[in-house]
Amino acid sequence: MPSAADLAWLIPVLPLFGAVATGLALISFNSTINRLRKPVAVFLLTCVGAAAVLSYAVLAEQLAGAPVVEHLFIWASAGDFSLPMGYVVDPLGAVMLALVTTIALLVMVYSHGYMAHDKGYVRFFTYLALFSSSMLGLIISPNLLEIYVFWELVGMCSYLLVGFWYDREGAAHAAQKAFVVNRVGDFGLLLGILGLFWATGSFDFQGIADGLAAAISTGSVPGWAALLLCLLVFMGPMAKSAQFPLHVWLPDAMEGPTPISALIHAATMVAAGVFLVARLEPLYSQFPIVGLVIAVVGTITCFLGASIALTQMDLKKGLAYSTVSQLGYMMLAMGCGAPVAGMFHLVTHAFFKAMLFLCSGSVIHAMEDVVGHEPILAQDMRLMGGLRKKMPITSITFLIGCIAISGIPPLAGFWSKDEILGQAFISFPLLWFVGFLTAGMTAFYMFRLYFLTFEGEFRGEDKAMQAELMAAANKDTDEEHPHHAGVLHESPWSMTMPLAVLAVPSVLIGLLGTPWNSRFAALLNPEEAMEMAEKFSWGEFLPLAGASVAISASGISVAVLAYYLHRIDLSQLIAARFPTINAFFANKWYLDAINERLFVRGSRKLAREVLEVDAKVVDGVVNLTGLLTLGSGEGLKYFETGRAQFYALIVFGGVIALVMLFGVLGNPLA
Amino acid sequence: MLEFAVSAPFDPAAPLLAEQVNANFPWLSLSIFFPIVGALLVPFIPDQGDGKQVRWFALGIALVTFLITVAAYLNGYDPSVSELQLSERVSWLPDIGLTWAVGADGLSMPLILLTSFITALAVLAAWPVTFKPKLFFFLILAMDGGQIAVFAVQDMLLFFLAWELELLPVYLLLAIWGGKKRQYAATKFIIYTAGSSLFILLAALAMGFFGGGTPNFEYTVLAQKGFGAGFQLLCYAGLLIAFGVKLPIVPLHTWLPDAHGEATAPVHMLLAGILLKMGGYALMRFNAELLPEAHAQFAPLLIVLGVVNIIYAALTSFAQRNLKRKIAYSSISHMGFVLIGIGSFSALGTSGAMLQMVSHGLIGASLFFLVGATYDRTHTLQLDEMGGIGQKMRIMFALWTVCALASLALPGMSGFVSELMIFAGFVTDEAFTLPFRIVIAGLAAIGVILTPVYLLSMLREIFFGKENAELVSHTKLVDAEPREVYIISALLVPIIGIGLYPRLMTDTYSASIDALVKRDVAAMQNLSKPSAPQIRNTKLSPALILAPKLPMQQLQGS
């Protein structure tokens, strides 16, 4: 009987099989398959469910102390080069496998309810299975290149799912933005992988780390180059895990269906960056500067996400910026050289953030019956309020999520966040302080979301507010979507059940990682767990933990005073007094505007002008029409503006510069 | 540090490629003449003039040709042998040294298979052609034979003949069935290619007569002639221009958007799928294999030109508003990788260049077919006049998405593997200095960002968003029919197959590529020997001499 680890290759293959089968069927017998909703859903659930069972078996084996299993085969070869692919099962991977399959399964159950009326139901489930497969493949990848392969595939699934409602302009733009911003990160990742391969001759995590250390000590790779390669590789996680300044795609990605936001853009795919950094720990631990960079980027992201979340009025966007902020915490942990703490936060966060997003989906689902299928209205908290009475399960689970993320013991978020802050306090006290402040902000904005959504009076019938919101979004209040004028209701069981299930780990899972007896650390890194338990002293733990709880509590109190008891008016107190800061946060630090002006318009302009040069100069010269137009004065006008010369100069000047550069540096042929 | 193939010093006296495996059956001649004979029979097919019979006949011929090439591959071709196989030699005109010599090695075999495969699909894609169908299918079949000949012949003079003969069908296909500006495009195409191919003739004659005695143009013989360095440089430069037009290399590319912009979908598939590959194949066959020392000197230029291709064409593609031209420019961008691979001097990179040609042949053909299929429905190629058509044409949308993702080198598809191999081969090989590699790899990788920018914007503008009311009002947007789904699936099978397990393809040619690279590396090491300092000094000069002088003039002008 083979061990579960030997069968681990089945974990991504099963959902892939399901996705391919339904995908082909969709192309071949579209209308028939679209009618077979339940059978397809059951079939795909079975595939992912089987993968989940196998993942739990793998995790159980690893808990029992099974050795690391690795199987490889030669995937590509040329000359003396050969590239192995395969799979590896180790404790880190086993934890992630169990996590991803659990959440994927719950989200699929949830989607059955959420997408019930959507005409793309079957397509949605197919994409979900495809994503699960890619994500699981990423986890069991034994080397950087295979990670890159699946990295791109999860990016593709994200593209397909963000653009799922392809008749919406917003979704189309968001999908493209997500893919392109991720490609910017992948650009660095790819170059970094290639460079590391050049330096070490290996794609394997440990092989790279050892090889690079050896290469630096023998002097065959200069130190700055090694550093550069490490930072290039880090660009990949920066984009995927939405770290500043490449976080801009994640909030926009909320255009996708909410189950996707929960699964891909909160719990699993965005954590892939953190996971990769954890995998690269042997490499990064050699370079303290890289650690510092990661920690600083993480801290900036953490603060940025929280500060923007303070002013968001869109429920999903608020949660999205909260995700950005929490991913920042995880990166901070990685930068402090505490991957176990980061991974622990990844796990706890996956549960409670998935739950929070699914709650928001439940809310939106209910709101759509009142205000219609218009995301501008259905997701805006100014039209919500008082939902607790109508949606008890959703509101309770949302509240549990809020307490968990705010870091109130004994819920999950407290243990993991506190561990990160503790590590940061030792490594970088300044960064600890920022993270500490952010914890207070987190508590405030989460409870703000809760109170605005679930407490007070229901504001959904306010037509004036609806019109105002539509006007602000430059949309007609036309009413292609007739108002259902329905009533709020709790969601069906298929949606509330996953919420209830997720609430359990959100409350309890933190207890696996108490600093004095961390079973989580014992699994990932037994030595570190021993050390942690030995070093643990209440005298050190209590002040820091107490401070964290205190700042969270004060954040919650402000939220209670402002949004529940209405004792203080924050818009008067703060927003009016510091309009610049408020505008800065509300406009998302102006990063989207900068992005739009600099990169989007800039690249369009450059492209247009290169094309003009291509048509008028390059083609003109060979057509000899260039001469004619010059003679007729038509071309003269064109050349007088100087643009043609200027851009031709850039193109050819670039070539010349390259050639000259290597003329000076020496012969490019070594 | 990984050691890459470093061979023994090059010895011009030793016979190279001397061994040939003779064919037990004239597979290659059959695959060349069968479609041509089939084409000659087309006028005798009873047909009412709307092409219903003749298209079945053409499809049959194209399929049988494909089967012949597959049979040749299975029966007479051993992938582990680097030398020429399936070789046939018949003395034709001994006085001028012309021999009917065909054969296949790793450089030709994959492209021969690609040619017969794409042509068969192109015939299927030409199903709706009703205007002069007999002439159309005659030309397509004639082209099939001619293109296989280009890849299969082993004699430079024959190569020149095949290269020229293949131009004629393309010219007619463009000029008769093209779009509005078809005359202009066809003329431009013929002037460019025919003009530049003069260089092939000149180089062929020079190389054939080199060394005196009876002229001989066979590749195997040419490979053993010890051409001098200066001679090699001259021939190389001429051939580079000829093949650079075909590939194409910026700034010799401007015939391509016009030709591709006017061609109908099946012709388009052939242009992108096969014709461009003739340039890449010839660069490997002649420039890299027969002129290794000049290749060592020109390699940096090839690589710089490759990078220019990638970025320049990606930008122009982004700005294009015409769908066909957009895809045409994207082809140019992808061919830039082939240039880098050929210039990389590593087995991995060169192997990647070969794979990129096959891969782009498949992906380019699929995209161009989809452009044609979309045009049949929308009757416009302007992106501004489309929008939101994904709601009516869902299967078409799915096919487009898959092919666009393949084109932007998504892992799991062939384009990713080939680009990765080229990158990895170029970066890890010690043939070039470190700064050169860093800058080039960084610039080429910008293509990795630009490709999704233009391809995904294209998808967004065609399929996403609200339906374009005007378009919907006067066209009937029917979804893909089974024939179209079948063509794309047939192309996707090898695309995904290679993407999942690249050795399916790379193993068929890697022996020949390894031998080729060994030869080139040996030549480069020959150059680096201190005994020839003057060569060392001139090593960079070609790039400096050939680099466009424009900037200087423009600097003064502006």
Side-chain angles (χ1 to χ4, degrees), chain A residues 110 113 358-367 369 387-398 454 487-497 499-500:
Chain A
Y110 180 93
L358 293 184
C359 286
S360 79
S362 174
V363 168
I364 293 164
H365 195 66
M367 288 294 290
D369 280 351
L387 297 186
R388 180 167 58 87
K389 288 157 221 143
K390 307 279 184 183
M391 313 180 71
I393 304 177
T394 308
S395 72
I396 289 173
T397 45
F398 196 93
F454 292 100
V487 282
L488 289 172
H489 57 84
E490 180 61 284
S491 302
W493 70 269
S494 62
M495 290 168 69
T496 48
M497 192 271 283
L499 296 179

Side-chain angles (χ1 to χ4, degrees), chain A residues 27 73-81 119 145 148-149 152-153 156 159-160 163 166-167 169 172-173 176 179-180 183-184 187 190-191 194 197-198 201 220 603-604 606-608 610-611 614 618-619 622-623 648-649 651-653 655-656 658-659 662-663 665 667-670, chain B residues 1 3 5 184 188 192 253-254 296 308 312 315-316 318-319 329 348 390-391 394-395 397 405 408-411 416 420 423-424 427-428 430-437 439 441-442 445-446 448 452-453 456-457 460 464-466 499-500 502-503 514 524 539-540 544 548 551:
Chain A
I27 295 255
F73 69 97
I74 301 294
W75 182 67
S77 64
D80 295 349
F81 164 89
K119 55 182 194 270
L145 197 66
Y148 183 82
V149 167
E152 286 278 299
L153 289 179
M156 172 202 74
Y159 168 77
L160 292 175
Y166 52 83
D167 50 342
E169 282 300 336
H173 280 104
Q176 191 186 343
F179 197 93
V180 172
R183 263 290 166 107
V184 173
F187 160 83
L190 181 67
L191 285 178
L194 290 173
F197 176 65
W198 159 75
S220 64
S603 64
R604 279 197 193 137
L606 177 69
R608 264 201 309 277
V610 170
L611 183 67
D614 189 64
V618 181
D619 200 27
V622 292
N623 276 349
L649 189 73
V651 173
F652 293 110
V655 179
I656 279 286
L658 273 179
V659 175
F662 296 107
L665 287 177
N667 197 328
L669 288 169
Chain B
M1 198 66 54
E3 287 292 321
Y184 171 75
K188 199 166 177 179
Y192 255 87
H253 65 281
T254 52
V308 172
Y312 181 92
L315 284 173
T316 45
F318 183 38
Y329 274 112
L348 186 60
Q391 288 166 54
R394 299 215 194 148
I395 296 177
F397 184 17
L405 290 173
L408 58 78
L410 191 80
F416 168 73
L420 180 77
F423 269 118
V427 169
T428 52
E430 301 296 331
F432 299 96
T433 54
L434 188 57
F436 184 74
R437 280 182 278 163
V439 172
I446 291 178
V448 172
V453 169
L456 297 185
S457 321
R460 178 169 55 76
F464 283 85
K466 296 252 180 301
L500 292 180
R503 289 174 68 190
D514 286 353
M524 184 190 269
K539 212 189 279 176
L540 201 94
L544 277 174

Side-chain angles (χ1 to χ4, degrees), chain B residues 23-38:
Chain B
N24 50 0
F25 181 80
W27 287 114
L28 290 176
S29 298
L30 187 65
S31 67
I32 295 169
F33 290 114
F34 184 77
I36 292 179
V37 170

Side-chain angles (χ1 to χ4, degrees), chain A residues 6 34 40 48 72 74 106 118 130 158 162-163 223 294 313 317 347 381 433 457 477-478 482 515 530 549:
Chain A
D6 290 319
N34 268 323
V40 170
V48 177
L72 300 173
I74 301 294
L106 289 170
D118 199 288
L130 189 62
S158 163
V162 172
I294 296 176
M313 273 302 170
K317 288 248 166 96
V347 172
M381 291 187 291
F433 183 71
E457 290 299 313
T477 30
D478 60 344
M530 297 265 282
V549 175

